[in-house]
Amino acid sequence: MAASPSTARALNDRLALRLLQQEGPLTAGQLKQLTGLSRPTVADLVERLTAAGLIAVAGEAGEQRRGPNAKLYGIVADRAHLAALDVRTEGVTVVVSDLVGDVLAEAALPITGDAGTGPAVEQAVGLVERTVKEAGADRPHTVGIGAPGLIDPASGELRDSTGLPEWHRRLVAVLQERFPEARVSVENETNLAALAEQRDGAARDRDTFVLLWLGHGTGAAVILDGALRRGASGGTGEIGFLPVPGTSGLPSATDCAGGFHSLVGATAVARLAEEYGVAAEPGTEPAAGAVRAAVASSEPASPEARFLDTLADRIAVGVASVVALLDPGHVVLGGEIGQAGGEALAARVRDRLAAMSPLPADVRPSALGGGAVLRGALLTARDRAQEELFGVPGH
């Protein structure tokens, strides 16, 4: 069934905008070549998108060329501003970008556990307001938030989780109140990290993989056939609760102590480093810092090498479980600890996995590390804003 003229125009416009997003400014001739559309059709869509305020002349292709075909057209980047937040138990980081994703301002603020819910929320919201202003924007069009915890698949809201600060849940509502015209959404931090690794990081060549987050918390994100899987209750990837050998007991419905988290969480890794006499550099986070120090100075049979070997033994237990269930073929070690371990830790896990599982799986270190959550939040905010703005022009 043939598309109606208005639908065809909308599809052509969106195709052109996506190309301008991916390639940067293009001439009408380049758009014709990349889209396969006729010259009159390209001229019409350029006129529509310009009238809609979505694209504008961004220069000329070369001094030797003259006439309409020499004009370079680019997306109007300041048509909308985006805010992305990485919310942690100990603070929040904010970036503000333009519509094409170029970062205009960034800031971070520690928020202590004894601040209280109301003051903590005000500190976080105030940071967003100041960063938006610093970026030269009046208000954000879209706000993407990454936070630990479960996201209710029905409501899209952060569920009440034991051990997480109450201000996390309150923050989303207050941001929506403070920016009533903005589209505010929240996503699990590990899921956002996986989306960022898929777009810009270690999984760019994969449409099926698992990201294992190794940091203060322990989690996993599952991408199958290019789609993020959240599960019936939003709990896909809660691998910290996975019962594993080598712990002192079993996890409970409210506490992951005794689960995989007890082996590879930051506290457990820091304790393991102490047992081997591996110290982090002063001023660095104990677990990730110890892993980084061990990678930098390990020699065969040294305490640092034995520490990495034991840590890899622990990580491989969880990775083997994931591989046995999902057969993803590819596992990314993310989070601060995964980034600190780099290829040295990933190679150790890969070797152990090959000995434990009949299913082949590559194990790679994160390419984005701790910054993956913020990058994922910004990418999803950009996608949502463009989905809305790019779907309209003149129809």
Side-chain angles (χ1 to χ4, degrees), residues 343-391:
E343 177 57 26
L345 181 59
R348 284 172 163 86
V349 175
R350 189 161 56 239
D351 291 343
R352 284 152 178 79
L353 180 64
M356 295 170 66
S357 173
L359 305 177
D362 186 23
V363 180
R364 300 179 186 176
S366 162
L368 303 174
V373 176
L374 200 57
R375 181 62 182 161
L378 185 58
L379 285 170
T380 54
R382 190 187 76 182
D383 287 349
R384 290 189 181 105
Q386 291 184 354
E387 184 70 21
E388 178 181 330
L389 294 173
F390 290 2

mmCIF file of all heavy atoms in Angstrom, residues 343-391:
data_model
loop_
_atom_site.group_PDB
_atom_site.id
_atom_site.type_symbol
_atom_site.label_atom_id
_atom_site.label_comp_id
_atom_site.label_asym_id
_atom_site.label_seq_id
_atom_site.Cartn_x
_atom_site.Cartn_y
_atom_site.Cartn_z
ATOM 1 N N GLU A 343 41.679 -4.178 29.866
ATOM 2 C CA GLU A 343 41.889 -5.426 29.140
ATOM 3 C C GLU A 343 42.553 -6.487 30.023
ATOM 4 O O GLU A 343 42.312 -7.688 29.843
ATOM 5 C CB GLU A 343 42.738 -5.172 27.893
ATOM 6 C CG GLU A 343 43.088 -6.406 27.087
ATOM 7 C CD GLU A 343 41.869 -7.191 26.613
ATOM 8 O OE1 GLU A 343 40.779 -6.588 26.458
ATOM 9 O OE2 GLU A 343 42.012 -8.422 26.392
ATOM 10 N N ALA A 344 43.363 -6.055 30.999
ATOM 11 C CA ALA A 344 44.043 -7.020 31.872
ATOM 12 C C ALA A 344 43.036 -7.855 32.652
ATOM 13 O O ALA A 344 43.180 -9.083 32.767
ATOM 14 C CB ALA A 344 44.986 -6.291 32.832
ATOM 15 N N LEU A 345 42.014 -7.216 33.187
ATOM 16 C CA LEU A 345 40.978 -7.944 33.928
ATOM 17 C C LEU A 345 40.053 -8.683 32.972
ATOM 18 O O LEU A 345 39.684 -9.840 33.222
ATOM 19 C CB LEU A 345 40.189 -6.966 34.798
ATOM 20 C CG LEU A 345 39.078 -7.567 35.667
ATOM 21 C CD1 LEU A 345 39.644 -8.606 36.633
ATOM 22 C CD2 LEU A 345 38.333 -6.466 36.428
ATOM 23 N N ALA A 346 39.666 -8.029 31.866
ATOM 24 C CA ALA A 346 38.765 -8.665 30.911
ATOM 25 C C ALA A 346 39.371 -9.944 30.342
ATOM 26 O O ALA A 346 38.671 -10.955 30.164
ATOM 27 C CB ALA A 346 38.427 -7.695 29.780
ATOM 28 N N ALA A 347 40.667 -9.928 30.053
ATOM 29 C CA ALA A 347 41.326 -11.122 29.505
ATOM 30 C C ALA A 347 41.311 -12.262 30.509
ATOM 31 O O ALA A 347 41.107 -13.429 30.136
ATOM 32 C CB ALA A 347 42.759 -10.780 29.112
ATOM 33 N N ARG A 348 41.516 -11.948 31.780
ATOM 34 C CA ARG A 348 41.476 -12.983 32.810
ATOM 35 C C ARG A 348 40.071 -13.594 32.902
ATOM 36 O O ARG A 348 39.916 -14.814 33.011
ATOM 37 C CB ARG A 348 41.878 -12.393 34.163
ATOM 38 C CG ARG A 348 43.374 -12.156 34.341
ATOM 39 C CD ARG A 348 43.650 -11.378 35.629
ATOM 40 N NE ARG A 348 45.042 -11.465 36.055
ATOM 41 C CZ ARG A 348 46.012 -10.674 35.630
ATOM 42 N NH1 ARG A 348 45.742 -9.723 34.727
ATOM 43 N NH2 ARG A 348 47.234 -10.835 36.072
ATOM 44 N N VAL A 349 39.042 -12.741 32.878
ATOM 45 C CA VAL A 349 37.671 -13.255 32.939
ATOM 46 C C VAL A 349 37.371 -14.079 31.697
ATOM 47 O O VAL A 349 36.726 -15.138 31.767
ATOM 48 C CB VAL A 349 36.668 -12.091 33.081
ATOM 49 C CG1 VAL A 349 35.229 -12.606 33.031
ATOM 50 C CG2 VAL A 349 36.906 -11.326 34.382
ATOM 51 N N ARG A 350 37.821 -13.611 30.550
ATOM 52 C CA ARG A 350 37.583 -14.319 29.291
ATOM 53 C C ARG A 350 38.188 -15.729 29.333
ATOM 54 O O ARG A 350 37.550 -16.703 28.909
ATOM 55 C CB ARG A 350 38.200 -13.505 28.147
ATOM 56 C CG ARG A 350 37.862 -13.981 26.766
ATOM 57 C CD ARG A 350 38.116 -12.894 25.733
ATOM 58 N NE ARG A 350 39.469 -12.380 25.761
ATOM 59 C CZ ARG A 350 39.790 -11.112 25.969
ATOM 60 N NH1 ARG A 350 38.852 -10.202 26.180
ATOM 61 N NH2 ARG A 350 41.044 -10.730 25.976
ATOM 62 N N ASP A 351 39.405 -15.843 29.851
ATOM 63 C CA ASP A 351 40.058 -17.149 29.943
ATOM 64 C C ASP A 351 39.302 -18.084 30.880
ATOM 65 O O ASP A 351 39.119 -19.271 30.577
ATOM 66 C CB ASP A 351 41.490 -16.983 30.437
ATOM 67 C CG ASP A 351 42.391 -16.306 29.408
ATOM 68 O OD1 ASP A 351 42.003 -16.265 28.227
ATOM 69 O OD2 ASP A 351 43.467 -15.814 29.803
ATOM 70 N N ARG A 352 38.849 -17.568 31.995
ATOM 71 C CA ARG A 352 38.122 -18.399 32.960
ATOM 72 C C ARG A 352 36.760 -18.816 32.400
ATOM 73 O O ARG A 352 36.310 -19.936 32.610
ATOM 74 C CB ARG A 352 37.968 -17.655 34.284
ATOM 75 C CG ARG A 352 39.273 -17.636 35.084
ATOM 76 C CD ARG A 352 39.395 -16.417 35.997
ATOM 77 N NE ARG A 352 40.633 -16.475 36.752
ATOM 78 C CZ ARG A 352 41.828 -16.152 36.248
ATOM 79 N NH1 ARG A 352 41.943 -15.773 34.988
ATOM 80 N NH2 ARG A 352 42.907 -16.236 37.007
ATOM 81 N N LEU A 353 36.121 -17.894 31.691
ATOM 82 C CA LEU A 353 34.822 -18.213 31.095
ATOM 83 C C LEU A 353 34.963 -19.326 30.060
ATOM 84 O O LEU A 353 34.121 -20.226 29.990
ATOM 85 C CB LEU A 353 34.221 -16.965 30.466
ATOM 86 C CG LEU A 353 32.865 -17.131 29.790
ATOM 87 C CD1 LEU A 353 31.803 -17.514 30.815
ATOM 88 C CD2 LEU A 353 32.468 -15.838 29.079
ATOM 89 N N ALA A 354 36.030 -19.275 29.267
ATOM 90 C CA ALA A 354 36.252 -20.301 28.244
ATOM 91 C C ALA A 354 36.417 -21.680 28.874
ATOM 92 O O ALA A 354 36.023 -22.697 28.275
ATOM 93 C CB ALA A 354 37.478 -19.948 27.414
ATOM 94 N N ALA A 355 36.977 -21.717 30.080
ATOM 95 C CA ALA A 355 37.154 -23.000 30.765
ATOM 96 C C ALA A 355 35.884 -23.474 31.463
ATOM 97 O O ALA A 355 35.724 -24.669 31.722
ATOM 98 C CB ALA A 355 38.294 -22.877 31.780
ATOM 99 N N MET A 356 34.960 -22.539 31.751
ATOM 100 C CA MET A 356 33.753 -22.860 32.515
ATOM 101 C C MET A 356 32.535 -23.131 31.642
ATOM 102 O O MET A 356 31.623 -23.855 32.046
ATOM 103 C CB MET A 356 33.415 -21.709 33.473
ATOM 104 C CG MET A 356 34.427 -21.469 34.564
ATOM 105 S SD MET A 356 34.079 -19.928 35.455
ATOM 106 C CE MET A 356 32.528 -20.332 36.236
ATOM 107 N N SER A 357 32.482 -22.512 30.461
ATOM 108 C CA SER A 357 31.254 -22.555 29.673
ATOM 109 C C SER A 357 31.504 -23.125 28.277
ATOM 110 O O SER A 357 32.507 -22.779 27.638
ATOM 111 C CB SER A 357 30.670 -21.141 29.544
ATOM 112 O OG SER A 357 29.577 -21.119 28.648
ATOM 113 N N PRO A 358 30.595 -23.954 27.788
ATOM 114 C CA PRO A 358 30.723 -24.445 26.411
ATOM 115 C C PRO A 358 30.285 -23.410 25.378
ATOM 116 O O PRO A 358 30.481 -23.604 24.175
ATOM 117 C CB PRO A 358 29.783 -25.652 26.384
ATOM 118 C CG PRO A 358 28.715 -25.300 27.384
ATOM 119 C CD PRO A 358 29.427 -24.548 28.470
ATOM 120 N N LEU A 359 29.683 -22.315 25.850
ATOM 121 C CA LEU A 359 29.173 -21.283 24.947
ATOM 122 C C LEU A 359 30.227 -20.194 24.760
ATOM 123 O O LEU A 359 30.704 -19.609 25.736
ATOM 124 C CB LEU A 359 27.890 -20.670 25.515
ATOM 125 C CG LEU A 359 26.778 -21.668 25.842
ATOM 126 C CD1 LEU A 359 25.594 -20.941 26.466
ATOM 127 C CD2 LEU A 359 26.349 -22.424 24.602
ATOM 128 N N PRO A 360 30.592 -19.886 23.528
ATOM 129 C CA PRO A 360 31.612 -18.857 23.307
ATOM 130 C C PRO A 360 31.083 -17.465 23.636
ATOM 131 O O PRO A 360 29.936 -17.140 23.324
ATOM 132 C CB PRO A 360 31.920 -18.981 21.808
ATOM 133 C CG PRO A 360 30.662 -19.542 21.218
ATOM 134 C CD PRO A 360 30.083 -20.456 22.267
ATOM 135 N N ALA A 361 31.912 -16.672 24.278
ATOM 136 C CA ALA A 361 31.532 -15.289 24.583
ATOM 137 C C ALA A 361 32.786 -14.442 24.717
ATOM 138 O O ALA A 361 33.709 -14.811 25.441
ATOM 139 C CB ALA A 361 30.712 -15.221 25.869
ATOM 140 N N ASP A 362 32.795 -13.351 24.015
ATOM 141 C CA ASP A 362 33.894 -12.391 24.126
ATOM 142 C C ASP A 362 33.651 -11.531 25.365
ATOM 143 O O ASP A 362 32.503 -11.196 25.688
ATOM 144 C CB ASP A 362 33.946 -11.523 22.871
ATOM 145 C CG ASP A 362 35.144 -10.599 22.860
ATOM 146 O OD1 ASP A 362 36.138 -10.893 23.555
ATOM 147 O OD2 ASP A 362 35.096 -9.572 22.158
ATOM 148 N N VAL A 363 34.716 -11.185 26.076
ATOM 149 C CA VAL A 363 34.607 -10.303 27.243
ATOM 150 C C VAL A 363 35.498 -9.098 26.976
ATOM 151 O O VAL A 363 36.699 -9.246 26.738
ATOM 152 C CB VAL A 363 35.044 -11.008 28.543
ATOM 153 C CG1 VAL A 363 34.920 -10.050 29.731
ATOM 154 C CG2 VAL A 363 34.206 -12.258 28.780
ATOM 155 N N ARG A 364 34.902 -7.923 26.998
ATOM 156 C CA ARG A 364 35.640 -6.691 26.714
ATOM 157 C C ARG A 364 35.480 -5.706 27.868
ATOM 158 O O ARG A 364 34.440 -5.670 28.525
ATOM 159 C CB ARG A 364 35.108 -6.012 25.449
ATOM 160 C CG ARG A 364 35.193 -6.820 24.187
ATOM 161 C CD ARG A 364 34.615 -6.018 23.030
ATOM 162 N NE ARG A 364 34.542 -6.796 21.794
ATOM 163 C CZ ARG A 364 34.014 -6.352 20.669
ATOM 164 N NH1 ARG A 364 33.497 -5.122 20.619
ATOM 165 N NH2 ARG A 364 33.984 -7.112 19.600
ATOM 166 N N PRO A 365 36.472 -4.847 28.078
ATOM 167 C CA PRO A 365 36.296 -3.772 29.058
ATOM 168 C C PRO A 365 35.450 -2.653 28.473
ATOM 169 O O PRO A 365 35.392 -2.473 27.253
ATOM 170 C CB PRO A 365 37.732 -3.296 29.319
ATOM 171 C CG PRO A 365 38.446 -3.580 28.030
ATOM 172 C CD PRO A 365 37.824 -4.842 27.477
ATOM 173 N N SER A 366 34.798 -1.914 29.345
ATOM 174 C CA SER A 366 34.033 -0.747 28.911
ATOM 175 C C SER A 366 34.939 0.251 28.216
ATOM 176 O O SER A 366 36.100 0.436 28.593
ATOM 177 C CB SER A 366 33.392 -0.093 30.138
ATOM 178 O OG SER A 366 32.999 1.238 29.860
ATOM 179 N N ALA A 367 34.417 0.897 27.199
ATOM 180 C CA ALA A 367 35.144 1.982 26.549
ATOM 181 C C ALA A 367 34.790 3.330 27.170
ATOM 182 O O ALA A 367 35.478 4.317 26.934
ATOM 183 C CB ALA A 367 34.837 2.003 25.054
ATOM 184 N N LEU A 368 33.721 3.373 27.976
ATOM 185 C CA LEU A 368 33.227 4.638 28.519
ATOM 186 C C LEU A 368 33.336 4.720 30.032
ATOM 187 O O LEU A 368 33.289 5.812 30.600
ATOM 188 C CB LEU A 368 31.769 4.847 28.098
ATOM 189 C CG LEU A 368 31.508 4.844 26.598
ATOM 190 C CD1 LEU A 368 30.015 4.921 26.309
ATOM 191 C CD2 LEU A 368 32.236 5.982 25.910
ATOM 192 N N GLY A 369 33.430 3.567 30.707
ATOM 193 C CA GLY A 369 33.615 3.546 32.150
ATOM 194 C C GLY A 369 32.509 4.225 32.918
ATOM 195 O O GLY A 369 31.324 4.135 32.567
ATOM 196 N N GLY A 370 32.879 4.949 33.976
ATOM 197 C CA GLY A 370 31.901 5.602 34.836
ATOM 198 C C GLY A 370 31.102 6.676 34.132
ATOM 199 O O GLY A 370 30.014 7.046 34.577
ATOM 200 N N GLY A 371 31.612 7.199 33.009
ATOM 201 C CA GLY A 371 30.880 8.226 32.270
ATOM 202 C C GLY A 371 29.788 7.680 31.381
ATOM 203 O O GLY A 371 29.066 8.457 30.746
ATOM 204 N N ALA A 372 29.646 6.351 31.342
ATOM 205 C CA ALA A 372 28.662 5.747 30.430
ATOM 206 C C ALA A 372 27.234 6.107 30.816
ATOM 207 O O ALA A 372 26.376 6.269 29.945
ATOM 208 C CB ALA A 372 28.835 4.231 30.408
ATOM 209 N N VAL A 373 26.941 6.219 32.104
ATOM 210 C CA VAL A 373 25.578 6.520 32.540
ATOM 211 C C VAL A 373 25.156 7.904 32.045
ATOM 212 O O VAL A 373 24.071 8.070 31.470
ATOM 213 C CB VAL A 373 25.455 6.449 34.077
ATOM 214 C CG1 VAL A 373 24.048 6.855 34.519
ATOM 215 C CG2 VAL A 373 25.779 5.047 34.575
ATOM 216 N N LEU A 374 26.008 8.876 32.249
ATOM 217 C CA LEU A 374 25.686 10.237 31.820
ATOM 218 C C LEU A 374 25.568 10.308 30.302
ATOM 219 O O LEU A 374 24.679 10.979 29.758
ATOM 220 C CB LEU A 374 26.766 11.198 32.314
ATOM 221 C CG LEU A 374 26.403 12.679 32.400
ATOM 222 C CD1 LEU A 374 25.193 12.895 33.287
ATOM 223 C CD2 LEU A 374 27.590 13.484 32.894
ATOM 224 N N ARG A 375 26.458 9.594 29.615
ATOM 225 C CA ARG A 375 26.391 9.577 28.158
ATOM 226 C C ARG A 375 25.086 8.940 27.684
ATOM 227 O O ARG A 375 24.433 9.433 26.760
ATOM 228 C CB ARG A 375 27.588 8.794 27.593
ATOM 229 C CG ARG A 375 27.624 8.724 26.067
ATOM 230 C CD ARG A 375 27.739 10.084 25.454
ATOM 231 N NE ARG A 375 27.720 10.036 23.984
ATOM 232 C CZ ARG A 375 27.439 11.072 23.223
ATOM 233 N NH1 ARG A 375 27.153 12.254 23.763
ATOM 234 N NH2 ARG A 375 27.459 10.958 21.910
ATOM 235 N N GLY A 376 24.685 7.836 28.335
ATOM 236 C CA GLY A 376 23.434 7.181 27.973
ATOM 237 C C GLY A 376 22.225 8.056 28.241
ATOM 238 O O GLY A 376 21.277 8.089 27.454
ATOM 239 N N ALA A 377 22.246 8.788 29.361
ATOM 240 C CA ALA A 377 21.136 9.684 29.683
ATOM 241 C C ALA A 377 21.028 10.803 28.654
ATOM 242 O O ALA A 377 19.921 11.189 28.245
ATOM 243 C CB ALA A 377 21.322 10.268 31.081
ATOM 244 N N LEU A 378 22.166 11.309 28.202
ATOM 245 C CA LEU A 378 22.150 12.381 27.208
ATOM 246 C C LEU A 378 21.676 11.860 25.855
ATOM 247 O O LEU A 378 20.884 12.519 25.158
ATOM 248 C CB LEU A 378 23.549 12.987 27.074
ATOM 249 C CG LEU A 378 23.675 14.208 26.156
ATOM 250 C CD1 LEU A 378 22.753 15.335 26.603
ATOM 251 C CD2 LEU A 378 25.122 14.692 26.110
ATOM 252 N N LEU A 379 22.112 10.672 25.478
ATOM 253 C CA LEU A 379 21.688 10.093 24.206
ATOM 254 C C LEU A 379 20.180 9.847 24.182
ATOM 255 O O LEU A 379 19.509 10.125 23.178
ATOM 256 C CB LEU A 379 22.429 8.778 23.959
ATOM 257 C CG LEU A 379 23.894 8.899 23.531
ATOM 258 C CD1 LEU A 379 24.569 7.527 23.568
ATOM 259 C CD2 LEU A 379 24.012 9.507 22.142
ATOM 260 N N THR A 380 19.638 9.324 25.276
ATOM 261 C CA THR A 380 18.198 9.065 25.303
ATOM 262 C C THR A 380 17.408 10.367 25.322
ATOM 263 O O THR A 380 16.339 10.454 24.687
ATOM 264 C CB THR A 380 17.812 8.199 26.514
ATOM 265 O OG1 THR A 380 18.286 8.801 27.724
ATOM 266 C CG2 THR A 380 18.415 6.808 26.407
ATOM 267 N N ALA A 381 17.907 11.388 26.021
ATOM 268 C CA ALA A 381 17.233 12.688 26.000
ATOM 269 C C ALA A 381 17.245 13.267 24.595
ATOM 270 O O ALA A 381 16.237 13.809 24.107
ATOM 271 C CB ALA A 381 17.907 13.647 26.983
ATOM 272 N N ARG A 382 18.384 13.136 23.918
ATOM 273 C CA ARG A 382 18.477 13.645 22.539
ATOM 274 C C ARG A 382 17.521 12.904 21.611
ATOM 275 O O ARG A 382 16.833 13.517 20.787
ATOM 276 C CB ARG A 382 19.913 13.497 22.041
ATOM 277 C CG ARG A 382 20.171 14.219 20.717
ATOM 278 C CD ARG A 382 21.548 13.908 20.195
ATOM 279 N NE ARG A 382 21.610 12.562 19.617
ATOM 280 C CZ ARG A 382 22.728 12.014 19.123
ATOM 281 N NH1 ARG A 382 23.865 12.696 19.156
ATOM 282 N NH2 ARG A 382 22.698 10.804 18.609
ATOM 283 N N ASP A 383 17.466 11.588 21.765
ATOM 284 C CA ASP A 383 16.569 10.796 20.914
ATOM 285 C C ASP A 383 15.116 11.203 21.113
ATOM 286 O O ASP A 383 14.354 11.333 20.154
ATOM 287 C CB ASP A 383 16.731 9.309 21.221
ATOM 288 C CG ASP A 383 18.038 8.742 20.684
ATOM 289 O OD1 ASP A 383 18.711 9.449 19.912
ATOM 290 O OD2 ASP A 383 18.387 7.610 21.057
ATOM 291 N N ARG A 384 14.720 11.395 22.379
ATOM 292 C CA ARG A 384 13.321 11.760 22.662
ATOM 293 C C ARG A 384 12.988 13.139 22.099
ATOM 294 O O ARG A 384 11.913 13.352 21.537
ATOM 295 C CB ARG A 384 13.068 11.712 24.164
ATOM 296 C CG ARG A 384 13.061 10.299 24.734
ATOM 297 C CD ARG A 384 12.597 10.284 26.178
ATOM 298 N NE ARG A 384 12.623 8.913 26.695
ATOM 299 C CZ ARG A 384 13.545 8.441 27.527
ATOM 300 N NH1 ARG A 384 14.522 9.234 27.941
ATOM 301 N NH2 ARG A 384 13.514 7.198 27.941
ATOM 302 N N ALA A 385 13.905 14.083 22.284
ATOM 303 C CA ALA A 385 13.658 15.428 21.776
ATOM 304 C C ALA A 385 13.574 15.426 20.256
ATOM 305 O O ALA A 385 12.676 16.040 19.663
ATOM 306 C CB ALA A 385 14.759 16.370 22.253
ATOM 307 N N GLN A 386 14.494 14.726 19.613
ATOM 308 C CA GLN A 386 14.480 14.702 18.159
ATOM 309 C C GLN A 386 13.270 13.941 17.626
ATOM 310 O O GLN A 386 12.716 14.298 16.588
ATOM 311 C CB GLN A 386 15.776 14.070 17.642
ATOM 312 C CG GLN A 386 16.998 14.944 17.887
ATOM 313 C CD GLN A 386 18.261 14.359 17.299
ATOM 314 O OE1 GLN A 386 18.266 13.240 16.803
ATOM 315 N NE2 GLN A 386 19.340 15.115 17.357
ATOM 316 N N GLU A 387 12.865 12.893 18.340
ATOM 317 C CA GLU A 387 11.683 12.149 17.908
ATOM 318 C C GLU A 387 10.470 13.060 17.849
ATOM 319 O O GLU A 387 9.656 12.993 16.917
ATOM 320 C CB GLU A 387 11.420 10.993 18.882
ATOM 321 C CG GLU A 387 10.279 10.098 18.492
ATOM 322 C CD GLU A 387 10.579 9.240 17.271
ATOM 323 O OE1 GLU A 387 11.770 9.027 16.956
ATOM 324 O OE2 GLU A 387 9.610 8.795 16.621
ATOM 325 N N GLU A 388 10.354 13.942 18.824
ATOM 326 C CA GLU A 388 9.226 14.867 18.841
ATOM 327 C C GLU A 388 9.385 15.973 17.800
ATOM 328 O O GLU A 388 8.472 16.244 17.008
ATOM 329 C CB GLU A 388 9.067 15.485 20.233
ATOM 330 C CG GLU A 388 7.938 16.501 20.288
ATOM 331 C CD GLU A 388 7.796 17.140 21.668
ATOM 332 O OE1 GLU A 388 8.111 16.468 22.671
ATOM 333 O OE2 GLU A 388 7.379 18.296 21.724
ATOM 334 N N LEU A 389 10.545 16.613 17.814
ATOM 335 C CA LEU A 389 10.750 17.768 16.945
ATOM 336 C C LEU A 389 10.874 17.366 15.475
ATOM 337 O O LEU A 389 10.398 18.076 14.587
ATOM 338 C CB LEU A 389 11.997 18.530 17.371
ATOM 339 C CG LEU A 389 11.914 19.196 18.747
ATOM 340 C CD1 LEU A 389 13.256 19.771 19.142
ATOM 341 C CD2 LEU A 389 10.855 20.297 18.753
ATOM 342 N N PHE A 390 11.499 16.224 15.217
ATOM 343 C CA PHE A 390 11.724 15.839 13.833
ATOM 344 C C PHE A 390 10.488 15.194 13.200
ATOM 345 O O PHE A 390 10.441 14.993 11.998
ATOM 346 C CB PHE A 390 12.894 14.848 13.729
ATOM 347 C CG PHE A 390 14.246 15.449 14.006
ATOM 348 C CD1 PHE A 390 14.372 16.775 14.358
ATOM 349 C CD2 PHE A 390 15.385 14.674 13.914
ATOM 350 C CE1 PHE A 390 15.609 17.324 14.614
ATOM 351 C CE2 PHE A 390 16.634 15.215 14.163
ATOM 352 C CZ PHE A 390 16.752 16.545 14.519
ATOM 353 N N GLY A 391 9.509 14.881 14.027
ATOM 354 C CA GLY A 391 8.331 14.225 13.482
ATOM 355 C C GLY A 391 7.292 15.191 12.964
ATOM 356 O O GLY A 391 6.314 14.776 12.351
#
